[in-house]
Amino acid sequence: MKAMIFAAGLGTRLRPITNTIPKAMLPVCGEPLIAHVIRNLKKYGYDDFVVNVHHFPDQIIQYLREQDNFGVRIRISDERDLLRDTGGGLAYAEPLLKDAENGHFLIHNVDILSDLDFGWLQTAVPSDAMATVIVSPRKTSRYFLFNDEMRLVGWTNLSTGEVRSPYAYLDVEACHKYAFAGMHVDSVRIFDLFHQKQMPQKFPIVDFYLSICKDYPVYGVVPPELTLIDVGKLETISVAEEFLKK
């Protein structure tokens, strides 16, 4: 099964550590973040990986080579010429992803550690989904908004009151609010949409989901149980280490 790991980001919230290493190489319990992500996914049968790189790319490439790619297939989507954001990075990796088994592939942020049952996820993706985002009821200020069928209808920032939606008169209070878990599953058909809509080289994938969700099904799925650590800030490193030790 195929998975893409987003590892190209600058890791600005992890400075000064990321002034000299990429976020993917941040050591947690003695091993880089990317090692924990790959090993966890490998347990669930993922054996074909695409890793995008931009910030200190050679460090990631050399490390994967030294680990013999953890016994799986790993190909690099090299973005050192331009940091394309999540949507642009996904579009750029099309040649490496479009032949995905069963017509869909997993996308996983490199700074997310979780106990998600990916076996469960593989059965939870709706057959007609253009994209499926893993979400949780954790407390935050920014939420995806879903209707009763768990189709995406918008996004909101409770702190600022901002609402983004293709529906002009969306009743935010009537929507189900869930936080994004940094993992999603896309259909290979999404590449056709990128071309059809003439997407630029650089764009966020969340913005794209919001732009298409009225016409194409983008679903949210809520795992029955989920512990998730976003290792994107300095103060979460110790939390991540405690999580891994358990």
Side-chain angles (χ1 to χ4, degrees), residues 78-102:
D78 197 324
E79 296 183 39
R80 71 183 76 202
D81 65 319
L82 174 68
L83 185 57
R84 291 171 166 81
D85 211 325
T86 49
L90 178 57
Y92 189 68
E94 176 183 356
L96 306 177
L97 293 168
K98 62 183 179 181
D99 62 344
E101 182 183 358
N102 298 325

Side-chain angles (χ1 to χ4, degrees), residues 26-90:
L26 176 75
V28 181
C29 288
E31 286 195 303
L33 273 174
I34 195 167
H36 296 293
V37 173
I38 292 172
R39 283 202 180 101
N40 188 44
L41 292 177
K42 183 180 175 182
K43 289 190 306 185
Y44 288 94
Y46 290 93
D47 56 3
D48 190 351
F49 290 82
V50 175
V51 178
N52 70 341
V53 296
H54 171 83
H55 187 54
F56 296 111
D58 292 328
Q59 291 188 30
I60 299 174
I61 293 169
Q62 180 180 343
Y63 174 73
L64 294 174
R65 187 181 297 127
E66 290 171 351
Q67 303 303 313
D68 293 324
N69 287 340
F70 295 92
V72 295
R73 185 188 194 191
I74 300 179
R75 289 174 292 171
I76 300 296
S77 183
D78 197 324
E79 296 183 39
R80 71 183 76 202
D81 65 319
L82 174 68
L83 185 57
R84 291 171 166 81
D85 211 325
T86 49
L90 178 57

